[in-house]
Amino acid sequence: MSLEMPHNGQNEAPTSSAALRAMRLERTLAALLSHGALSRTELAEITGYSRSSMTATIRELMTAGFVRETGLSESTGGRRRTILQFNRPGVYLSLVSVEGLYLTVSQIDMLGTVQAQLRRRLDRDEPLASLEAALRALHEVVEQPSRCVVVSLPGVVSAEGEVSLAPALGLAPVRGLRDALGSALGLPVLVENDVNLLVLGESAAGAAQMVDDVVLLYVGEGIGAALLFGGRVHRGATGSAGEVGFLPWEGVMPASTSSVGPLEANWSANALAQCAAALGIEAEDRSILAALQASSLPEAAALLEGAVAAWAYAAVVNACIVNPELVVFAGEAVHLPAAAQAELAARVKAAAPAPVEVAFARLGDRAIAQGAIAFIETRPRLVFAFDEEEVPGLSGDGSWQERGTD
């Protein structure tokens, strides 16, 4: 996955000592996040800084807890070099997942290990207050402070984190969510579409590893897709790329005023549950697909067959337009019985105009967390708040001060 190297947002090179120091810190963290374990000499070669300035930078990052020594390199006849890594177990972030009527807030480290987790009901009349209250409750019980917050939600989110459509948060648009939540909590906040985080997670540690061009099709309360081109999420002109739930179905075109598209109105997990309930089939604690499979009713089998056809249709449309190397099905689709999964993959491969592989998501509940970590790795500047004018955490003499918490 490609890494967005930090920059100062201007054409001219930074000249102040604070700006130069911030750039060194950012580039060093970016190199460690991108390349893994490195020696000081290797870091100097990658970043272009002298070994002496790199030594000072590493000392500062180690004092702040971002970097740790992990041992010595193998001997090649000379002096063995100290190996450095980004301190993944010691850097924490808070993760918010918006799921239907509920919020799940977790603190995880940069390995994805959950340190604490709370589940709260979402007040759709006051979504921002709900988010803030849930995060404050989480931060009261954790042992170490979080460095940032990542908000995962279904909807349309721009590259800058602005939310223009998020039905899960209520009917009114939630403008300025990132800035408002960041101001309230005193932490950097990143906001991203949940399916985009899923594809980043599966790309980093799941079914899409080592693949640069991926379409991930998610079936849940709605149906959405995430597009990964060259290892980067593709958003489209307004951030709406991947809204496949709005594809026409059986001649019905989407309405511009509706928050639910024709395809997902018929074949989302919610739609299947409603159809199953009309047949007297209740999912209870099972996947709705497992409940349909367990039923002996011919109508249940027809629903399963219809879901396979509909989801294959959505995948083939994407394959025709963006020509991915891999299509990954996630969400409810992973609960299809083995024979139905094979049928779904066969339909996509047979109808796609170019060869395409088909896989099913592997990470389950861990995918969002892994996606959040991958999301952060492309934005070390935003997350770790290295500012050109004033570098948070650095005192006037250049030594690191631990960030305080309320």
Side-chain angles (χ1 to χ4, degrees):
M1 183 178 301
S2 55
L3 187 74
E4 294 177 10
M5 292 299 291
H7 57 83
N8 72 328
Q10 300 175 357
N11 291 329
E12 64 271 16
T15 56
S16 72
S17 59
L20 292 171
R21 184 185 297 274
M23 180 172 287
R24 284 200 303 273
L25 295 170
E26 293 172 84
R27 288 191 177 277
T28 303
L29 281 185
L32 288 169
L33 286 165
S34 179
H35 295 277
L38 296 169
S39 69
R40 286 174 174 79
T41 299
E42 290 169 328
L43 273 170
E45 292 173 352
I46 291 170
T47 59
Y49 294 115
S50 68
R51 195 177 186 283
S52 60
S53 66
M54 185 54 57
T55 296
T57 298
I58 288 297
R59 186 183 300 118
E60 293 172 352
L61 291 173
M62 289 180 66
T63 301
F66 287 116
V67 174
R68 61 176 180 165
E69 296 179 348
T70 59
L72 298 174
S73 64
E74 294 183 3
S75 176
T76 58
R79 183 178 177 181
R80 298 172 69 188
R81 296 174 176 176
T82 301
I83 300 301
L84 303 161
Q85 282 187 325
F86 183 83
N87 185 20
R88 290 180 180 274
V91 176
Y92 304 98
L93 63 117
S94 295
L95 176 63
V96 183
S97 293
V98 180
E99 304 158 344
L101 297 175
Y102 292 89
L103 301 171
T104 299
V105 290
S106 311
Q107 187 188 62
I108 62 174
D109 62 26
M110 288 286 286
L111 291 170
T113 305
V114 177
Q115 308 297 316
Q117 189 171 82
L118 300 173
R119 186 172 171 84
R120 291 275 184 102
R121 192 171 180 87
L122 170 66
D123 183 351
R124 292 190 173 184
D125 292 328
E126 297 289 344
L128 179 59
S130 282
L131 291 170
E132 182 183 340
L135 284 163
R136 289 193 183 279
L138 174 72
H139 293 167
E140 287 177 0
V141 301
V142 298
E143 296 182 0
Q144 299 293 331
S146 293
R147 299 280 185 176
C148 68
V149 175
V150 178
V151 180
S152 164
L153 53 80
V156 177
V157 184
S158 73
E160 294 74 31
E162 285 298 322
V163 181
S164 57
L165 176 66
L169 294 182
L171 297 178
V174 184
R175 303 290 184 184
L177 185 151
R178 182 195 63 182
D179 292 341
L181 196 58
S183 295
L185 298 172
L187 289 171
V189 174
L190 304 179
V191 183
E192 181 57 290
N193 170 270
D194 54 354
V195 185
N196 286 345
L197 290 179
L198 285 177
V199 77
L200 289 173
E202 291 291 336
S203 176
Q209 291 182 78
M210 307 302 292
V211 183
D212 285 337
D213 296 302
V214 182
V215 168
L216 183 140
L217 191 75
Y218 177 80
V219 181
E221 289 194 0
I223 300 177
L227 313 176
L228 203 67
F229 296 167
R232 293 178 179 268
V233 170
H234 176 72
R235 301 175 184 277
T238 63
S240 299
E243 292 291 329
V244 295
F246 287 85
L247 285 172
W249 184 256
E250 294 185 340
V252 177
M253 298 295 288
S256 60
T257 57
S258 176
S259 61
V260 179
L263 182 67
E264 59 192 357
N266 287 275
W267 297 109
S268 66
N270 281 3
L272 288 172
Q274 292 172 9
C275 292
L279 298 173
I281 302 171
E282 298 293 340
E284 298 177 347
D285 294 332
R286 299 175 294 176
S287 156
I288 185 59
L289 295 183
L292 290 171
Q293 185 187 14
S295 173
S296 60
L297 293 175
E299 293 89 346
L303 273 177
L304 275 175
E305 292 172 4
V308 167
W311 300 344
Y313 158 67
V316 170
V317 168
N318 278 279
C320 290
I321 296 171
V322 302
N323 185 31
E325 181 180 348
L326 175 69
V327 171
V328 177
F329 287 96
E332 197 66 27
V334 303
H335 300 296
L336 281 169
Q341 284 193 358
E343 172 65 17
L344 177 55
R347 281 176 176 261
V348 175
K349 291 181 177 182
V356 62
E357 294 299 317
V358 177
F360 291 83
R362 298 176 186 167
L363 296 181
D365 293 339
R366 297 185 294 120
I368 292 289
Q370 290 296 329
I373 292 168
F375 191 52
I376 284 174
E377 288 177 352
T378 67
R379 294 157 174 81
R381 175 191 186 87
L382 297 179
V383 172
F384 304 121
F386 297 141
D387 185 78
E388 293 174 1
E389 299 304 321
E390 180 181 355
V391 183
L394 283 173
S395 66
D397 63 1
S399 62
W400 275 92
Q401 302 295 322
E402 194 64 36
R403 179 181 295 176
T405 56
D406 294 331

Coordinates of all heavy atoms in Angstrom, one line a residue, residues 1-4 33 93 95 110 148-152 157-161 178 189-193 196-198 200-201 204 233 235 367-383:
M1 N 0.8 -1.2 0.0 CA 0.0 0.0 0.0 C 0.9 1.2 0.0 O 1.8 1.3 0.7 CB -0.9 0.0 1.2 CG -1.9 1.2 1.3 SD -2.9 1.0 2.8 CE -3.7 -0.6 2.5
S2 N 0.6 2.2 -0.9 CA 1.4 3.4 -0.9 C 1.1 4.3 0.3 O 0.1 4.3 0.9 CB 1.0 4.1 -2.2 OG -0.3 4.4 -2.3
L3 N 2.1 5.1 0.6 CA 2.1 5.9 1.8 C 2.1 7.4 1.3 O 2.9 7.8 0.5 CB 3.3 5.6 2.7 CG 3.3 6.4 4.0 CD1 2.3 5.7 4.9 CD2 4.7 6.3 4.6
E4 N 1.2 8.2 1.9 CA 1.2 9.6 1.6 C 2.2 10.3 2.5 O 2.1 10.4 3.7 CB -0.2 10.2 2.0 CG -1.3 9.6 1.1 CD -2.7 10.2 1.5 OE1 -2.7 11.1 2.3 OE2 -3.7 9.7 1.0
L33 N 6.7 3.4 9.6 CA 5.4 2.8 9.3 C 5.4 2.1 8.0 O 4.8 1.0 7.8 CB 4.3 3.9 9.3 CG 4.0 4.4 10.7 CD1 3.2 5.7 10.6 CD2 3.1 3.4 11.5
L93 N -5.3 4.2 19.8 CA -6.2 5.1 19.1 C -7.6 4.7 19.6 O -7.8 3.5 20.0 CB -6.1 5.0 17.6 CG -6.4 3.6 17.0 CD1 -7.6 3.7 16.1 CD2 -5.2 3.1 16.2
L95 N -11.5 4.1 18.4 CA -12.2 3.7 17.2 C -13.7 3.7 17.5 O -14.2 3.1 18.4 CB -11.8 2.3 16.7 CG -12.5 1.8 15.5 CD1 -12.3 2.6 14.3 CD2 -12.0 0.3 15.2
M110 N -1.8 -0.1 17.9 CA -1.5 -0.1 16.4 C -1.2 -1.5 15.9 O -0.9 -1.7 14.7 CB -0.4 0.8 16.1 CG -0.7 2.3 16.3 SD -1.8 2.9 14.9 CE -0.5 3.0 13.6
C148 N -5.5 9.5 18.9 CA -6.4 10.1 17.9 C -7.7 9.3 18.0 O -7.8 8.3 18.7 CB -5.8 10.0 16.5 SG -5.6 8.3 15.9
V149 N -8.7 9.7 17.2 CA -10.0 9.1 17.1 C -10.2 8.8 15.6 O -10.0 9.7 14.8 CB -11.1 9.9 17.7 CG1 -12.5 9.3 17.4 CG2 -10.9 10.2 19.2
V150 N -10.7 7.6 15.3 CA -11.1 7.2 13.9 C -12.6 6.9 14.0 O -13.0 6.0 14.8 CB -10.3 6.1 13.3 CG1 -10.9 5.7 12.0 CG2 -8.8 6.4 13.3
V151 N -13.4 7.6 13.2 CA -14.9 7.3 13.2 C -15.2 6.6 11.9 O -14.9 7.1 10.8 CB -15.7 8.7 13.3 CG1 -17.2 8.4 13.2 CG2 -15.3 9.4 14.6
S152 N -15.8 5.4 12.0 CA -16.2 4.6 10.9 C -17.7 4.6 10.8 O -18.4 4.3 11.8 CB -15.7 3.2 11.1 OG -16.4 2.3 10.3
V157 N -18.3 10.2 2.6 CA -17.3 10.9 3.4 C -16.2 11.4 2.4 O -15.7 10.6 1.6 CB -16.6 10.1 4.5 CG1 -15.7 10.9 5.3 CG2 -17.7 9.5 5.4
S158 N -15.9 12.7 2.4 CA -14.8 13.2 1.5 C -13.5 12.8 2.0 O -13.3 12.3 3.1 CB -15.0 14.7 1.4 OG -14.5 15.3 2.6
A159 N -12.5 13.1 1.2 CA -11.1 12.8 1.6 C -10.7 13.6 2.8 O -9.8 13.3 3.5 CB -10.1 13.1 0.4
E160 N -11.3 14.8 3.0 CA -11.0 15.6 4.1 C -11.8 15.3 5.3 O -11.7 15.9 6.4 CB -11.3 17.1 3.7 CG -10.4 17.7 2.6 CD -10.8 17.1 1.3 OE1 -12.0 16.9 1.0 OE2 -9.9 17.0 0.4
G161 N -12.6 14.2 5.3 CA -13.4 13.8 6.4 C -14.7 14.5 6.6 O -15.4 14.3 7.7
R178 N -16.0 16.1 12.1 CA -14.6 15.9 12.5 C -14.1 17.0 13.3 O -13.5 16.8 14.4 CB -13.7 15.8 11.2 CG -12.3 15.5 11.5 CD -11.4 15.8 10.2 NE -11.5 17.2 9.8 CZ -10.9 17.7 8.8 NH1 -10.2 16.9 8.0 NH2 -11.0 19.0 8.5
V189 N -9.1 13.9 14.9 CA -10.2 13.0 14.5 C -10.1 12.8 13.0 O -10.0 13.7 12.2 CB -11.5 13.6 14.9 CG1 -12.7 12.7 14.4 CG2 -11.6 13.7 16.4
L190 N -10.2 11.5 12.6 CA -10.3 11.1 11.2 C -11.7 10.4 11.1 O -12.1 9.6 11.9 CB -9.2 10.1 10.8 CG -7.8 10.6 11.0 CD1 -6.8 9.5 10.6 CD2 -7.5 11.9 10.3
V191 N -12.4 10.7 10.0 CA -13.7 10.2 9.7 C -13.6 9.5 8.3 O -13.1 10.0 7.4 CB -14.8 11.2 9.6 CG1 -16.2 10.6 9.4 CG2 -14.8 12.0 10.9
E192 N -14.1 8.2 8.3 CA -14.0 7.5 7.0 C -15.2 6.6 6.9 O -15.8 6.1 7.8 CB -12.7 6.6 7.0 CG -12.5 5.8 5.7 CD -12.5 6.6 4.4 OE1 -13.6 7.1 4.0 OE2 -11.4 6.8 3.8
N193 N -15.6 6.3 5.6 CA -16.7 5.4 5.3 C -16.3 4.0 5.7 O -15.1 3.6 5.6 CB -16.9 5.4 3.8 CG -17.8 4.3 3.3 OD1 -17.3 3.2 2.9 ND2 -19.1 4.6 3.2
N196 N -14.9 1.6 3.1 CA -13.5 1.9 2.7 C -12.5 1.4 3.7 O -11.4 0.9 3.4 CB -13.4 3.5 2.6 CG -14.0 4.0 1.3 OD1 -14.3 3.3 0.4 ND2 -14.2 5.3 1.3
L197 N -12.9 1.5 5.0 CA -12.0 0.9 6.0 C -11.9 -0.6 5.9 O -10.9 -1.2 6.1 CB -12.5 1.3 7.4 CG -12.3 2.8 7.8 CD1 -12.9 3.0 9.2 CD2 -10.9 3.2 7.7
L198 N -13.0 -1.2 5.5 CA -13.0 -2.7 5.4 C -12.0 -3.1 4.3 O -11.3 -4.1 4.4 CB -14.4 -3.2 5.0 CG -15.4 -3.3 6.1 CD1 -16.8 -3.7 5.6 CD2 -15.0 -4.2 7.2
L200 N -9.4 -1.5 3.2 CA -8.1 -1.2 3.7 C -7.6 -2.3 4.6 O -6.5 -2.8 4.6 CB -8.0 0.1 4.3 CG -8.1 1.4 3.4 CD1 -8.2 2.6 4.3 CD2 -6.9 1.4 2.5
G201 N -8.6 -2.8 5.5 CA -8.2 -3.8 6.4 C -7.9 -5.1 5.7 O -7.0 -5.8 6.0
A204 N -4.7 -5.0 4.0 CA -3.5 -5.0 4.9 C -3.3 -6.4 5.5 O -2.1 -6.8 5.6 CB -3.7 -4.0 6.0
V233 N -7.7 4.2 -1.9 CA -9.1 4.2 -2.0 C -9.5 5.3 -3.0 O -9.0 6.4 -3.0 CB -9.8 4.6 -0.6 CG1 -11.3 4.9 -0.8 CG2 -9.6 3.5 0.4
R235 N -12.5 7.6 -4.4 CA -13.7 8.2 -3.8 C -14.6 8.8 -4.9 O -15.8 8.9 -4.6 CB -13.3 9.3 -2.9 CG -12.4 8.9 -1.7 CD -12.0 10.0 -0.8 NE -11.1 9.5 0.2 CZ -11.5 9.0 1.3 NH1 -12.8 8.9 1.6 NH2 -10.6 8.6 2.2
A367 N -11.7 -6.4 10.8 CA -11.4 -5.7 9.6 C -11.4 -4.2 9.8 O -10.6 -3.5 9.2 CB -12.4 -6.1 8.5
I368 N -12.4 -3.6 10.5 CA -12.5 -2.2 10.7 C -11.3 -1.7 11.4 O -10.7 -0.6 11.1 CB -13.8 -1.8 11.4 CG1 -15.0 -2.0 10.5 CG2 -13.7 -0.3 11.8 CD1 -15.2 -1.1 9.3
A369 N -10.9 -2.4 12.5 CA -9.7 -2.0 13.2 C -8.4 -2.0 12.4 O -7.6 -1.1 12.4 CB -9.5 -2.9 14.4
Q370 N -8.3 -3.1 11.6 CA -7.1 -3.1 10.7 C -7.1 -2.0 9.6 O -6.1 -1.4 9.3 CB -7.0 -4.5 10.0 CG -6.6 -5.6 11.0 CD -5.3 -5.5 11.6 OE1 -4.4 -4.9 11.0 NE2 -5.1 -6.0 12.8
G371 N -8.4 -1.7 9.2 CA -8.5 -0.6 8.2 C -8.2 0.7 8.8 O -7.6 1.6 8.2
A372 N -8.6 0.9 10.1 CA -8.3 2.2 10.8 C -6.8 2.4 10.9 O -6.3 3.5 10.8 CB -9.0 2.2 12.1
I373 N -6.1 1.3 11.3 CA -4.6 1.4 11.4 C -4.0 1.7 10.0 O -3.1 2.6 10.0 CB -4.1 0.0 11.9 CG1 -4.6 -0.2 13.4 CG2 -2.6 0.0 11.9 CD1 -4.3 -1.6 13.9
A374 N -4.5 1.0 9.0 CA -3.9 1.3 7.6 C -4.2 2.8 7.3 O -3.4 3.5 6.6 CB -4.5 0.4 6.6
F375 N -5.4 3.2 7.6 CA -5.8 4.6 7.3 C -4.9 5.6 8.0 O -4.4 6.6 7.4 CB -7.3 4.8 7.8 CG -8.0 6.1 7.4 CD1 -8.0 6.5 6.1 CD2 -8.6 6.8 8.4 CE1 -8.7 7.6 5.7 CE2 -9.3 8.0 8.0 CZ -9.3 8.4 6.7
I376 N -4.6 5.3 9.3 CA -3.7 6.2 10.0 C -2.3 6.2 9.5 O -1.6 7.2 9.4 CB -3.6 5.7 11.5 CG1 -4.9 6.2 12.2 CG2 -2.4 6.3 12.2 CD1 -5.0 5.6 13.6
E377 N -1.8 5.0 9.0 CA -0.4 4.9 8.5 C -0.2 5.8 7.3 O 0.9 6.2 7.0 CB -0.1 3.5 8.1 CG 0.0 2.6 9.3 CD 0.3 1.2 9.0 OE1 0.1 0.8 7.8 OE2 0.5 0.4 9.9
T378 N -1.2 6.2 6.6 CA -1.1 7.1 5.4 C -1.2 8.6 5.8 O -1.0 9.5 5.0 CB -2.2 6.9 4.3 OG1 -3.4 7.2 4.9 CG2 -2.2 5.4 3.9
R379 N -1.4 8.8 7.1 CA -1.6 10.2 7.6 C -0.9 10.4 8.9 O -1.5 10.9 9.9 CB -3.1 10.5 7.8 CG -3.9 10.4 6.5 CD -5.4 10.2 6.8 NE -6.2 10.3 5.6 CZ -6.2 9.3 4.6 NH1 -5.6 8.2 4.8 NH2 -7.0 9.5 3.5
P380 N 0.4 10.1 9.0 CA 1.1 10.4 10.3 C 1.1 11.8 10.7 O 1.0 12.1 11.9 CB 2.5 9.8 10.0 CG 2.6 9.9 8.6 CD 1.3 9.6 8.0
R381 N 1.0 12.7 9.8 CA 1.0 14.1 10.1 C -0.2 14.5 10.8 O -0.2 15.2 11.9 CB 1.2 15.0 8.8 CG 1.0 16.5 9.0 CD 0.9 17.2 7.7 NE 0.9 18.6 8.0 CZ 2.0 19.3 8.0 NH1 3.2 18.8 7.9 NH2 1.9 20.6 8.3
L382 N -1.4 14.1 10.4 CA -2.6 14.5 11.0 C -2.8 13.8 12.3 O -3.3 14.4 13.3 CB -3.8 14.0 10.1 CG -3.9 14.7 8.7 CD1 -5.0 14.2 7.9 CD2 -4.0 16.2 8.8
V383 N -2.4 12.5 12.4 CA -2.7 11.8 13.6 C -1.8 12.2 14.8 O -2.2 12.4 15.9 CB -2.6 10.3 13.3 CG1 -2.6 9.5 14.6 CG2 -3.6 9.8 12.4

